[in-house]
Amino acid sequence: MSSQPEVVVGEPKVRIDGRLKVTGKAPYAADHGHEHGIENMAYAAIVDATIGRGRITGIDTSTAEAHEGVLGVVSHENAPKLPYRENAGSNNLPGERIRVFQNDRVLFFGHPIAVVVAETLEAAQHGARLVEVTYDEESPTTELEDGTPDEPTNYSRGDVEAALADAPVRLDLTYNLSRNHHNPMEPHATIARWEDDKLTVWDKTQWVGDGTQVELAAVFGLAQDDVRVLSPYVGGAFGSGLRTWPNTVIAAVAAREVGRPVKLVLARRQMYFNTGFRPAYRYQLTVGADRDGRLLATDHVVRAETSSYETFSEAVLSAGQMKYSTPNVRQDYRTVPLDVNTPIWMRGPGAATGDHVIETAMDELAYEVGIDPIELRRRNEPTEDESSGLPFSTRRLLECYDVGAREFGWSRRNPEPASTRDGDWQVGIGMASALYHTAAAPARARVRLRIDGTALVESATSDMGPGTYTSMTQVAADALGLTLDDVDFRLGDSAMPATPPHGGSMTMASVGSAVQNGADKVRREAINLAVNDAASPLHGADADDIVVRRGRLHVRNDASRGETYRALMARNGRTRIQATGLFSPREEATKSAWAYGAVFAEVGVDAQLGLVRVRRMLGVYDAARIINPRLAESQALGGMVGGIGKALLEHTVTDHRDGRIVNANMADYLVPVNADVPDLKAIYLGGRDDYPDPIGVKGLGEVVICGVAPAIANAVFHATGRRVRDLPITIDSLL
């Protein structure tokens, strides 16, 4: 940790890019054009398969090609053969990724099978409708219960069979969680341009460098440096941008075939078939406990959908292994290959699913043994991570309970289910805890102090909404001793220093630590330059006693003795002082690091109609050091809104006859709107955790959605006395 005094870290600064976004001046992927050096651009539209499984027997493109403005149609019949080198990175999954237009196979309804390129978007879209395709159709398998599970991932400790047999209390529970789809405001879009054998793409992605750049190089057989990926702004992603989907490759193929830059924007409907989703789960949980509510054993049998061609899995088992003290645990987790497109990580990946099941089950156990739900959790609080035997770096979950219960008025709650009414509304209060592992990965950042005393900081990370531009600027400004206005932070370019993907709550810990490291190096070099410069007022001073404030170096206890960066550099003929900041996490863990939360919800359920309305919600979080409270609150409120959607609204409806997603639009796939989120509040405990990273953060983008859905489900039970174990909770389940 640097001894440099903090100036702006911890302050609720407004978003640096906020004005650009609200005025429409922030260029997202599809917004780039001639003003960004892209000339003579063409437009593309994808032709989707209209069967759920089979082979293409013919593609008639003649009518489309004759349509005015159409430049060409590319399909497996005329597409170039692509190298598709092996690429285990870039978040590719076990199996074989879709090879665009390389064969006649249809793997799922909506599989991209051709692309029409035209002078205008309208011509491309109409041309796509004119392409006629014939198929040798097969019957798809798209329902979780109909698939054949893969080999299991197993975990066990203790003797579960014996413990369950002897348990005074036993619950046998089954939860069904529906598929959830990403619906960011910005659709996935790519502009691709070739210059000889060099490819540039403007893309919606959460991983510009070692992600999209490396994958495109592998697909086209290029050197990594021959691909440049630009993604300065991302209009929401929540995991959908964590890998390179076929549409990005299709844009590059189309651009090379017509010899012009090509823009391809997915229609909202196409995003349901092309950019992943949170998979559906069937989660069977058997719980054994004593009459005092202490857990004796848990047995988990989990089934999750994946595609027929790739295996997607996520950390859904972690909560059941270490969240509560349990001497005997057994888990069987199997993916079920189906004729669907591949799932992908979605906000709170794995943890939001695992938390829902564990937290709903804990609520059921609390009522079964007649113990307050918070007290039950206290009785099962572990002293270490029982899955690894490691001590926790910090764990302030009990404090989250205390603060949340006090602020939410938990003690005023009548514990009897279906006991509280407000006119026609049954009122209930529920709670749940949340956790998400603290992740970090190697990251780099370039920090340059310029001759005018301002700084340029660059890193190939992304900003899909949490405020990366702002938070990184705050870290750099403090470390350099500058104001926010004097720091220019840039991101979203694969030519910049490499970073991990922008997801998994790892950006602040990883990239922020690299920014801190680079800025510390630059500041120290400037200080050393000053104390060794005979003409400097700081000559001969102890370097450790020099601080920098607002671009001026001075002795800590004598502000009159000092000079500015600008004067120091000018006198020494330096046009810049530059360093590359580095961060790498520990190679071997010695502690177990997690972010935690306690979520409280009050709901009203219309006794006649079964309508559920969230009346108020509070989240209390242990996420260690908070770089920007304003951004942190925004993240928490957004996570709560997402959790409301997961609990009450969001689910994908599939016609299992052909694999068609029936509600692949924003009218029928329901998400929360203003009327669904009346009173939300977030509290962060603050403090810091110096084990995971040198800047003391844990990450907070994922944990804030975990625990929301079970808190709502538990509140619905308290309101009605009816336990609903399926998500979303629909009207018919309460009537």
Side-chain angles (χ1 to χ4, degrees), residues 607-671:
Q608 301 300 317
L609 303 178
L611 295 172
V612 181
R613 292 289 183 265
V614 175
R615 296 158 71 105
R616 60 191 179 105
M617 188 178 295
L618 168 68
V620 182
Y621 303 103
D622 164 25
R625 190 185 187 201
I626 303 302
I627 300 299
N628 185 317
R630 185 190 295 255
L631 297 177
E633 181 182 47
S634 176
Q635 283 291 286
L637 300 187
M640 290 182 199
V641 172
I644 292 171
K646 181 177 175 64
L648 301 177
L649 298 169
E650 296 188 50
H651 66 294
T652 304
V653 179
T654 302
D655 185 335
H656 297 296
R657 295 173 298 178
D658 60 6
R660 180 193 309 265
I661 296 177
V662 177
N663 60 334
N665 57 74
M666 291 298 288
D668 299 317
Y669 183 95
L670 303 180
V671 297

Side-chain angles (χ1 to χ4, degrees), residues 93-94 153 177-180 182 238-239 242 277-283 302-306 311-319 321 331-335 343-355 436-437 646 702 705-706:
L93 303 169
T153 297
L177 287 76
S178 295
R179 182 195 294 188
N180 293 168
H182 298 90
F238 313 106
L242 282 174
F277 50 89
R278 192 195 306 275
Y281 280 91
R282 182 177 180 83
Y283 197 133
V302 184
R303 300 293 178 264
E305 62 181 340
T306 189
T311 301
F312 172 81
S313 61
E314 55 185 348
V316 72
L317 302 181
S318 297
Q321 294 175 11
Q331 294 177 322
D332 180 296
Y333 171 33
R334 301 179 190 232
T335 53
I344 194 63
W345 298 277
M346 192 172 184
R347 194 172 192 177
T353 297
D355 268 359
Y436 194 82
H437 68 280
K646 181 177 175 64
E702 312 287 358
I705 193 173
C706 301

Side-chain angles (χ1 to χ4, degrees), residues 419-441:
S419 62
T420 304
R421 295 287 290 252
D422 180 8
D424 290 335
W425 294 90
Q426 298 172 289
V427 179
I429 292 177
M431 62 81 58
S433 70
L435 87 169
Y436 194 82
H437 68 280
T438 297

Side-chain angles (χ1 to χ4, degrees), residues 494-529:
S494 61
M496 296 174 181
T499 67
H502 181 51
S505 282
M506 72 174 76
T507 299
M508 197 69 243
S510 308
V511 182
S513 295
V515 169
Q516 175 83 49
N517 179 256
D520 282 347
K521 289 177 179 177
V522 167
R523 190 190 72 255
R524 285 195 296 266
E525 184 175 343
I527 290 173
N528 289 332
L529 181 64

Side-chain angles (χ1 to χ4, degrees), residues 352-432:
T353 297
D355 268 359
H356 180 76
V357 172
I358 300 301
E359 290 304 303
T360 310
M362 290 295 281
D363 199 68
E364 297 203 40
L365 179 61
Y367 283 99
E368 179 70 22
V369 297
I371 297 174
D372 178 86
I374 295 179
E375 174 59 26
L376 181 88
R377 288 168 172 80
R378 289 183 178 281
R379 294 183 185 186
N380 290 283
E381 176 71 4
T383 58
E384 66 176 11
D385 183 336
E386 294 180 350
S387 67
S388 64
L390 296 175
F392 295 111
S393 59
T394 66
R395 181 175 168 116
R396 300 168 66 189
L397 186 52
L398 298 183
E399 189 176 349
C400 292
Y401 295 154
D402 290 341
V403 173
R406 182 183 68 246
E407 295 294 322
F408 204 70
W410 181 263
S411 63
R412 298 191 297 272
R413 163 187 181 268
N414 185 333
E416 186 67 26
S419 62
T420 304
R421 295 287 290 252
D422 180 8
D424 290 335
W425 294 90
Q426 298 172 289
V427 179
I429 292 177
M431 62 81 58

